[in-house]
Amino acid sequence: DIPLSEVDTIAKLIPSGPSNSMSIPEAIESISELNEKVNANPKIKEMMDIAIKLEGLYRHCSTHAAGVVISKDPLSDVVPLIKNDGQIVTQFSMVDLESVGLLKMDILGLRNLTVIQDCLELIKQNHHKTIDLDSLGYDDKATYDLLCTGKTVGIFQLESQGMRNLIKDLQPQTFNDLIALLALYRPGPLGSGMVNDFISNKSGKTEVQYDLPELEPILKETYGMIVYQEQVMQIASVIGGFSLGQADMLRRAMGKKKKSVMDEMKETFLKGAESKQINLDKANKVFELCYKFAEYGFNKSHSAAYSVVSYHTAYLKTHYPAEYMTALLSSVQGVSEKISLYIQESIDMNLQILPPNVNESTIDFVTKDNKIRFGLGSVKNVGDGAIENIIQKRRDGNYKSLMDFCTKVDLKVVNKRVIESLIKVGAFDEIGKRDYLLSIYEQVIDRAQVIEKEQRNGQIGLFGNTDTGTGVALLDDQNLTPQYIGIQPGSLLQMEKELLGLYISAHPLDNFQHLYKDNIKLTNQINETHDGRSVSILGKI
């Protein structure tokens, strides 16, 4: 029953965070204000006594998103289980699972693998080509040329502004450079200055030096620097005489800074070096070097696997830009921020972006003749059932008018709200102007429902499917009395923005290009590259 505000005041007196955290007993002893509060108020003292008992316990049971435990026996016989959010998970942590001999695997699903597959299907449709990525190799010059420009939006692992800046500095020319790039772009290597040293060595500004000749075959591909955990293991094996099993234990101990294990292994390492007649001072220096870099070292096999996906996405973007961007856009349907980014990238690549179209669009984005057309699935208020019905009913021929559309589709599924949304985003532009269609669509729907009812009751008129007994033309939008009011272009654009998440046919700031043309930046670039600095932004309120 201590008020939350009082608990909060106490909690804030206890330092926390990676650099200055301390335990509750330490805080009570060293922080006078906290000490006074605890001694002056029995209720606070009781709270702190309870807090000391709770400190360090697990706060909650969490689930690893991709972690799978594999056992030859039923897991319930081997390890305690629990239901967490409806999923069965182990009550042992990953470390304890390994210690009882169970295999733990992280099995990840990647959206980008679907993007690659969809892109290959589009290439097959548009170019009648079947591309086998596995037999391509990893030495396509045009792909590396694209990477070196930093135009890597939409390429796996390489699209953040920081990564694009690093690519331009590093200038990858080979697949090994790409593996190193992914391993280096992490807080540790970036913060330690290691990345700058790597770039300097690679460009030849500084000379690559090896403390021992035995290190050259191991470190040559990374220009004399330890970038991967596997290199630490190779050094331990070649210089210290470790078995690969021992080398892996050393890698783990270094990564987790286990000093007692390290001291013991250092002795073994130096004995191994001595038996190989390697200078002990130099061997000692190499061991310390391994220790320094083990903290930053990345798993090369992991980086290489990711690099395969990065290379394939870069290759497809380079050689089949329309198909690649189409597959990419389909993969982020409904995420307006990503769609906006990829649409802008497509425009920068000289690809034309077309609005949705009831006669041409599918649920996903489609591409033809270097043009990308929006999918109907991108339009707000238009569900999958409505899209399926629209596509199914046009198989016998394109929709010729709004009346033709409304008499063919199922108006229970493709309802008034769906039709209004499709008109607003330009899906009927080849049939009529948006402002005109918006003024008549409700009357058209009402008449289409009458026609549907008459046909259901067998009241088909003299001219079969082109006319009804009441003389209403079925294939055009005649005999209507619209409240026709021209809608301003700005309002039409606002409708696009509201229902698609971005502007397609134009942009509200197009008339002001002379004010920003030379120095405009996207706001997401400003966030990443102008940290702490003032910027001027032109925008629409």
Side-chain angles (χ1 to χ4, degrees):
D1 296 326
I2 301 170
L4 193 60
S5 57
E6 209 172 323
V7 176
D8 195 40
T9 306
I10 298 288
K12 281 177 177 167
L13 289 172
I14 301 168
S16 63
S19 55
N20 62 351
S21 62
M22 55 172 71
S23 68
I24 294 172
E26 285 171 348
I28 294 171
E29 198 173 309
S30 57
I31 296 163
S32 54
E33 190 182 345
L34 182 63
N35 195 298
E36 285 165 21
K37 284 182 183 290
V38 170
N39 290 329
N41 188 334
K43 202 81 176 133
I44 297 289
K45 184 175 186 325
E46 185 189 357
M47 178 180 80
M48 297 310 275
D49 288 343
I50 294 168
I52 287 166
K53 289 174 187 172
L54 293 174
E55 186 176 26
L57 295 178
Y58 287 117
R59 186 172 65 105
H60 64 286
C61 175
S62 62
T63 305
H64 190 302
V68 179
V69 182
I70 299 172
S71 165
K72 67 184 174 71
D73 301 309
L75 276 172
S76 52
D77 295 352
V78 184
V79 64
L81 305 174
I82 191 173
K83 260 199 173 181
N84 197 27
D85 291 333
Q87 281 193 311
I88 297 172
V89 298
T90 68
Q91 292 188 59
F92 281 11
S93 73
M94 57 181 186
V95 177
D96 296 329
L97 286 169
E98 285 182 357
S99 71
V100 297
L102 291 172
L103 178 64
K104 178 185 68 68
M105 300 290 281
D106 289 358
I107 300 177
L108 306 176
L110 281 180
R111 174 176 60 84
N112 306 77
L113 298 178
T114 304
V115 171
I116 291 171
Q117 190 58 44
D118 290 349
C119 179
L120 295 177
E121 284 297 321
L122 288 169
I123 293 166
K124 201 172 183 179
Q125 286 170 30
N126 293 349
H127 302 279
H128 309 293
K129 262 183 175 181
T130 301
I131 293 176
D132 178 14
L133 291 175
D134 292 334
S135 62
L136 268 184
Y138 298 93
D139 53 1
D140 181 63
K141 186 178 182 304
T143 300
Y144 290 107
D145 288 346
L146 175 82
L147 290 175
C148 290
T149 63
K151 292 177 181 174
T152 53
V153 169
I155 294 176
F156 179 60
Q157 292 279 304
L158 305 181
E159 73 175 9
S160 73
Q161 189 63 43
M163 179 57 103
R164 275 143 61 191
N165 292 339
L166 179 58
I167 289 171
K168 283 191 272 190
D169 290 340
L170 196 139
Q171 293 287 298
Q173 304 295 330
T174 65
F175 190 63
N176 274 337
D177 288 347
L178 195 55
I179 298 172
L181 177 75
L182 294 190
L184 288 168
Y185 189 69
R186 291 174 303 111
L190 289 168
S192 68
M194 176 180 167
V195 174
N196 295 333
D197 293 343
F198 183 95
I199 292 168
S200 182
N201 286 0
K202 179 183 180 297
S203 65
K205 284 179 188 169
T206 46
E207 191 186 341
V208 179
Q209 293 182 324
Y210 304 98
D211 290 313
L212 291 166
E214 291 88 346
L215 292 177
E216 187 170 349
I218 300 169
L219 302 181
K220 191 174 183 179
E221 67 169 302
T222 51
Y223 308 99
M225 303 189 70
I226 300 173
V227 173
Y228 310 118
Q229 294 171 349
E230 286 88 341
Q231 288 174 318
V232 171
M233 292 169 64
Q234 282 179 288
I235 291 167
S237 173
V238 169
I239 294 174
F242 280 38
S243 69
L244 289 178
Q246 286 175 308
D248 191 45
M249 285 173 68
L250 174 66
R251 174 191 65 80
R252 286 184 182 207
M254 283 180 163
K256 291 173 183 171
K257 293 188 166 14
K258 291 184 177 172
K259 194 168 181 331
S260 57
V261 181
M262 294 264 303
D263 290 344
E264 199 178 305
M265 289 191 136
K266 184 175 182 178
E267 213 173 293
T268 313
F269 181 89
L270 293 175
K271 276 182 186 167
E274 192 175 15
S275 70
K276 288 177 174 253
Q277 298 179 332
I278 290 170
N279 180 292
L280 281 185
D281 288 340
K282 285 189 175 180
N284 188 55
K285 190 179 173 186
V286 168
F287 189 88
E288 293 303 323
L289 196 69
C290 286
Y291 184 48
K292 179 188 167 189
F293 282 103
E295 187 183 344
Y296 306 129
F298 195 63
N299 183 301
K300 185 183 180 184
S301 51
H302 184 159
S303 191
Y306 267 18
S307 295
V308 169
V309 182
S310 298
Y311 181 86
H312 285 162
T313 52
Y315 177 87
L316 293 170
K317 185 181 177 184
T318 303
H319 295 281
Y320 302 95
E323 287 76 15
Y324 182 70
M325 294 311 290
T326 301
L328 190 63
L329 282 160
S330 293
S331 76
V332 292
Q333 205 145 256
V335 187
S336 57
E337 193 181 298
K338 281 284 188 190
I339 285 187
S340 187
L341 176 69
Y342 297 149
I343 288 286
Q344 187 55 52
E345 181 70 5
S346 301
I347 292 166
D348 292 345
M349 292 160 67
N350 298 320
L351 300 172
Q352 194 180 340
I353 305 298
L354 303 173
N357 183 306
V358 288
N359 283 325
E360 292 191 23
S361 292
T362 64
I363 191 165
D364 292 324
F365 286 76
V366 290
T367 179
K368 193 178 178 184
D369 303 326
N370 264 10
K371 295 170 185 172
I372 297 175
R373 188 174 289 283
F374 261 81
L376 297 175
S378 301
V379 187
K380 225 182 252 185
N381 307 328
V382 180
D384 290 356
I387 296 168
E388 282 168 22
N389 190 251
I390 291 167
I391 293 168
Q392 183 195 342
K393 298 294 180 183
R394 78 180 181 212
R395 282 183 187 140
D396 298 330
N398 282 356
Y399 301 111
K400 297 178 179 67
S401 67
L402 190 57
M403 181 67 83
D404 183 32
F405 178 86
C406 290
T407 50
K408 284 179 177 174
V409 299
D410 182 349
L411 292 173
K412 293 187 195 72
V413 182
V414 187
N415 57 31
K416 198 174 278 190
R417 195 178 183 203
V418 169
I419 293 168
E420 181 190 2
S421 299
L422 290 171
I423 294 170
K424 283 180 172 178
V425 298
F428 289 97
D429 279 2
E430 67 179 35
I431 286 168
K433 288 191 171 181
R434 295 182 208 185
D435 48 3
Y436 173 67
L437 294 178
L438 284 171
S439 68
I440 65 165
Y441 80 95
E442 289 180 311
Q443 290 180 69
V444 173
I445 291 168
D446 291 342
R447 293 204 174 176
Q449 285 171 333
V450 170
I451 291 167
E452 194 267 335
K453 190 178 176 185
E454 286 182 356
Q455 288 179 331
R456 200 170 57 238
N457 294 335
Q459 290 175 259
I460 296 171
L462 182 64
F463 300 105
N465 68 348
T466 61
D467 200 56
T468 73
T470 52
V472 175
L474 191 141
L475 292 179
D476 60 33
D477 304 330
Q478 294 168 3
N479 306 318
L480 297 167
T481 51
Q483 300 298 309
Y484 184 48
I485 302 164
I487 300 172
Q488 292 300 313
S491 301
L492 289 172
L493 281 181
Q494 208 47 51
M495 291 171 188
E496 282 182 4
K497 173 76 171 166
E498 185 190 324
L499 292 164
L500 284 172
L502 68 157
Y503 307 104
I504 317 176
S505 47
H507 194 282
L509 298 182
D510 283 348
N511 293 336
F512 305 97
Q513 279 195 2
H514 62 284
L515 294 177
Y516 69 76
K517 199 170 182 185
D518 295 332
N519 54 10
I520 186 69
K521 278 190 183 290
L522 299 177
T523 47
N524 61 2
Q525 293 172 324
I526 290 168
N527 290 338
E528 292 190 27
T529 59
H530 292 69
D531 190 28
R533 282 161 52 197
S534 295
V535 293
S536 299
I537 294 179
L538 177 72
K540 177 177 179 288
I541 297 172

